Amino acid sequence: MKNLSKYRFSFLLLLFALALCFILNISLGSVTIPFKNIIGELFTGKTENESWHYIIWNYRIPKAFTAILTGGALSISGLLMQTLFRNPLAGPFVLGISSGASLGAALLLMGASVFSGLATFEAAHSISLAIGASLGSFLVLLAVLSVASRVKDTMALLIIGLMFGSITAAIVSVLSYFTTSEELQRYVYWSFGSLGDLSWSQLSLLTGIVFLGITLSIASIKSLNALLLGENYARSLGVRLKKSRYIIIIATALLAGSVTAFAGPIAFVGLAVPHLTRQLFNITDHKILLPAVLLYGAILMLLCDIVAQLPGSESVLPINAITSIIGAPVVIWLLTRKRKMLF
Amino acid sequence: MNTHSQHSILEVKDLSIGYGKTVVIDGVSFESQSGELTGIVGANGIGKSTLLRTLGNLQASLSGSISIAEKSINNINPIDFASKVSVVLTEPIASKNLTVQELIALGRQPYTNWIGTLTENDIRKISEALHMVELHDLRDSKCYELSDGQLQRVMVARALAQDTPLILLDEPTTHLDLYHKVQTLKLLNVITKKTKKAILFTSHEIEMVLQLCDKIILLKETGSTFGTPDQLIAAGEFDNLFPANTISFDANTRTFGIQK
């Protein structure tokens, strides 16, 4: 047997990289704070400058944690979907989670002007946006699942997810067509994604949901490994297919859904990170892949956030654009490097 | 083989198989003892694979009974069933990125804990399976690096590692050349004799089945027959298996000849 301790070094390396990126991430931003003050704040809590203290503890650290949770959760749900559908191009959003969230956000931000007469409320508030997005993902996922219980074939489920995505995209288009340019702009801003808007209480809620999703993922490790052989083989190994499929889908919904609700639709991380991880860890066992993907995703997200900050400048680039700019070339590189995308 | 150590592993009575309301074949009855190699033969589309999938509980039977170790398969929970029956299917495995050893290790899933930790015993069983199919040197190879014949032996090893009294194989010799066909079937024969497992497989290689199998299940439009190769030949069961103006069976040489 391959000794699992062989991977201990790789994991230590990843943990070290994560710590490094975390510190780097909170050291950089639009306000320049000397590095030794960052270290001082982190390890002793000593304050030289009240506003630096405020920026670090109420803005940069929550944002870094959001990046870790977002990257880790999206990457794990990408891994789950790739194994469940045995399709290397599957990602966290194939079951309509992000399109549902977009629909929820679109209805909230643009619905008021389209359906005039409905009570308008402060829609741009991040909490109501998060609730709207969660409701949207939840409803679309529920629709996909209710159809899913009627189809036996997992591949059909993949296509059904894509179809629901098309429907919601169409509704969003119609809303965008009729809405005011101001509201359209607010929707477009939401779709850029943002890691920086979470308060500590929102962050703890996100942490709780993500941990629940990770727990369900860990509980699915054995059936995920069996699914590497295909559904019939998995069944012949004693896997209760229907039950496992639901647990995997619910885990994905919790992970990708909660992240999308709080940080907006963040593309490509979920698709690209599992492939990147397989380059470093040449193993198929989900016992190793799952924590590796989590760490890798967190690191990548912290790095993307550093790039998005444009250190030293006032402006911030949309995080969703940065992940795609980094993610898409990775997928292209993988496809040209290998004849086939193995998973 | 001494008959004393033999016991019935699989018993099928008046089984009817098919999909929904479509009956593919009915009235199938046979039984399989430990240490017996049984071939399921018949023309294309007659229901060989359907029978095998039904026996492996991958699809439901329409009527009749299937008992494994004297217990109806409807009363066995999935994990218990997985410790009694292993399968080798025609469908390709989903991830060819698995190494030979990882793939065979998955055969131990019915016995491992919730997260799939392999014990000393599991590792020993995996190693035994690797030796049985003579693939020890390839244990760290990736499945995409293997030839069809090697991959088929890996799949057999995975079934062996699952350590079940009954192994079902669906067309284990398709896509293989003559040498590898014989090699695979001889391997199955050796396994039944050495491990006292019962093995059932579907095949188009009737001539090889006649030479290597202890029992044959012959599926025809008119129904199914079951017996030893000698019994079936004596009953003239193969004479009209295919249209007589195309292929004829010679009972003396136990071969099929082309009618010119």
Side-chain angles (χ1 to χ4, degrees):
Chain A
M1 275 295 88
K2 235 179 218 170
N3 199 349
L4 295 184
S5 63
K6 186 182 146 188
Y7 293 99
R8 195 167 293 155
F9 178 71
S10 308
F11 274 113
L12 282 175
L13 208 68
L14 277 181
L15 277 173
F16 179 71
L18 180 68
L20 201 71
C21 289
F22 180 78
I23 293 174
L24 199 64
N25 186 284
I26 55 175
S27 318
L28 298 168
S30 50
V31 177
T32 313
I33 301 175
F35 189 66
K36 75 175 204 309
N37 293 63
I38 300 273
I39 300 297
E41 279 286 350
L42 272 182
F43 292 103
T44 62
K46 272 187 205 147
T47 314
E48 270 181 47
N49 179 322
E50 270 308 317
S51 68
W52 288 353
H53 180 79
Y54 184 84
I55 290 172
I56 290 172
W57 287 100
N58 290 307
Y59 184 70
R60 290 196 184 171
I61 290 179
K63 183 165 67 68
F65 275 122
T66 310
I68 291 173
L69 286 172
T70 306
L74 288 176
S75 306
I76 288 181
S77 45
L79 177 70
L80 296 182
M81 289 295 102
Q82 284 173 9
T83 304
L84 179 67
F85 292 115
R86 296 174 299 287
N87 188 329
L89 282 171
F93 301 136
V94 286
L95 293 178
I97 288 166
S98 92
S99 41
S102 309
L103 182 65
L107 278 172
L108 207 63
L109 294 173
M110 310 191 288
S113 66
V114 177
F115 309 104
S116 51
L118 278 178
T120 51
F121 52 98
E122 190 38 69
H125 193 270
S126 68
I127 300 258
S128 50
L129 247 182
I131 293 171
S134 326
L135 271 178
S137 339
F138 182 71
L139 288 177
V140 170
L141 192 74
L142 213 63
V144 171
L145 281 182
S146 66
V147 181
S149 61
R150 256 171 269 171
V151 294
K152 257 191 163 174
D153 189 2
T154 312
M155 292 307 148
L157 192 56
L158 188 63
I159 296 170
I160 290 165
L162 289 172
M163 290 303 111
F164 272 100
S166 301
I167 296 170
T168 51
I171 298 173
V172 171
S173 295
V174 172
L175 283 172
S176 319
Y177 183 76
F178 286 109
T179 194
T180 63
S181 61
E182 224 169 76
E183 284 173 333
L184 181 62
Q185 194 181 27
R186 266 156 64 187
Y187 172 73
V188 171
Y189 268 107
W190 175 82
S191 71
F192 285 158
S194 163
L195 301 174
D197 296 333
L198 271 71
S199 66
W200 277 104
S201 60
Q202 283 171 289
L203 189 59
S204 48
L205 178 63
L206 178 62
T207 310
I209 301 173
V210 167
F211 266 83
L212 193 61
I214 292 176
T215 310
L216 287 180
S217 311
I218 292 172
S220 304
I221 283 178
K222 204 171 159 178
S223 40
L224 286 167
N225 282 335
L227 279 170
L228 291 174
L229 293 176
E231 290 194 353
N232 279 328
Y233 278 118
R235 264 163 80 186
S236 84
L237 286 167
V239 173
R240 287 178 164 90
L241 259 190
K242 230 176 175 173
K243 189 177 137 202
S244 309
R245 196 164 78 173
Y246 276 122
I247 294 176
I248 292 169
I249 290 174
I250 291 167
T252 305
L254 289 173
L255 291 168
S258 62
V259 163
T260 310
F262 284 111
I266 291 172
F268 265 116
V269 177
L271 170 68
V273 169
H275 292 299
L276 276 171
T277 310
R278 289 187 193 101
Q279 301 290 318
L280 184 71
F281 292 82
N282 194 7
I283 197 171
T284 52
D285 190 344
H286 288 78
K287 236 182 318 194
I288 303 290
L289 273 182
L290 206 79
V293 157
L294 172 77
L295 290 173
Y296 229 120
I299 292 168
L300 190 78
M301 207 62 204
L302 283 170
L303 287 174
C304 285
D305 185 50
I306 292 171
V307 176
Q309 287 300 322
L310 289 177
S313 87
E314 290 286 315
S315 41
V316 177
L317 294 176
I319 188 75
N320 197 2
I322 300 299
T323 53
S324 298
I325 286 171
I326 295 177
V330 165
V331 175
I332 294 170
W333 168 70
L334 279 168
L335 277 171
T336 49
R337 195 169 160 271
K338 283 185 169 180
R339 219 163 13 92
K340 234 172 118 185
M341 274 176 107
L342 292 159
F343 72 103
Chain B
M1 240 188 327
N2 89 56
T3 45
H4 186 71
S5 70
Q6 272 198 328
H7 56 273
S8 172
I9 287 175
L10 174 69
E11 208 176 343
V12 173
K13 272 189 198 142
D14 206 20
L15 183 71
S16 175
I17 54 173
Y19 302 86
K21 281 183 182 151
T22 321
V23 178
V24 174
I25 196 159
D26 58 3
V28 182
S29 296
F30 62 91
E31 111 183 271
S32 221
Q33 314 268 332
S34 64
E36 261 182 10
L37 181 63
T38 306
I40 304 170
V41 296
N44 274 334
I46 197 78
K48 297 190 295 295
S49 292
T50 314
L51 175 60
L52 201 91
R53 291 167 53 87
T54 311
L55 296 176
N57 215 5
L58 296 172
Q59 76 180 71
S61 61
L62 300 180
S63 66
S65 76
I66 305 171
S67 310
I68 286 157
E70 290 169 1
K71 218 171 161 187
S72 165
I73 65 168
N74 300 322
N75 300 329
I76 307 177
N77 75 45
I79 297 282
D80 276 350
F81 191 83
S83 68
K84 292 191 167 63
V85 182
S86 54
V87 295
V88 175
L89 304 167
T90 46
E91 62 189 47
I93 52 167
S95 170
K96 289 257 168 80
N97 205 20
L98 287 159
T99 67
V100 168
Q101 191 151 247
E102 284 171 340
L103 193 155
I104 296 173
L106 287 174
R108 296 302 299 168
Q109 274 216 354
Y111 309 99
T112 55
N113 63 2
W114 68 277
I115 203 164
T117 312
L118 298 172
T119 62
E120 290 286 317
N121 183 44
D122 293 322
I123 291 167
R124 192 169 47 81
K125 294 275 185 195
I126 293 162
S127 174
E128 278 172 17
L130 271 168
H131 278 294
M132 183 72 97
V133 300
E134 292 166 4
L135 281 175
H136 223 268
D137 297 337
L138 289 174
R139 64 184 178 279
D140 291 322
S141 305
K142 294 277 189 184
C143 284
Y144 61 79
E145 298 167 337
L146 303 180
S147 69
D148 285 347
Q150 286 167 337
L151 192 57
Q152 192 59 266
R153 264 152 61 211
V154 172
M155 296 314 288
V156 172
R158 193 207 59 84
L160 279 174
Q162 205 174 328
D163 200 19
T164 55
L166 177 65
I167 302 178
L168 306 171
L169 303 97
D170 197 4
E171 302 198 12
T173 57
T174 22
H175 304 308
L176 302 183
D177 63 29
L178 186 62
Y179 168 71
H180 288 97
K181 274 181 179 151
V182 175
Q183 186 195 38
T184 305
L185 293 186
K186 275 182 85 171
L187 173 67
L188 297 182
N189 186 289
V190 169
I191 291 169
T192 51
K193 303 310 165 228
K194 268 196 188 161
T195 63
K196 294 288 167 209
K197 292 178 190 303
I199 297 184
L200 261 85
F201 68 97
T202 61
S203 182
H204 287 292
E205 313 303 330
I206 303 179
E207 292 172 5
M208 289 182 206
V209 167
L210 283 169
Q211 291 179 57
L212 283 167
C213 288
D214 303 300
K215 298 275 173 64
I216 292 176
I217 301 162
L218 180 61
L219 302 181
K220 287 202 252 187
E221 296 284 353
T222 49
S224 77
T225 42
F226 170 67
T228 63
D230 292 341
Q231 286 169 342
L232 294 188
I233 291 169
E237 291 287 349
F238 295 102
D239 299 345
N240 56 358
L241 184 60
F242 300 113
N245 55 3
T246 318
I247 301 171
S248 65
F249 182 71
D250 182 341
N252 294 321
T253 58
R254 301 186 163 201
T255 53
F256 287 89
I258 301 170
Q259 292 293 98
K260 287 181 183 140

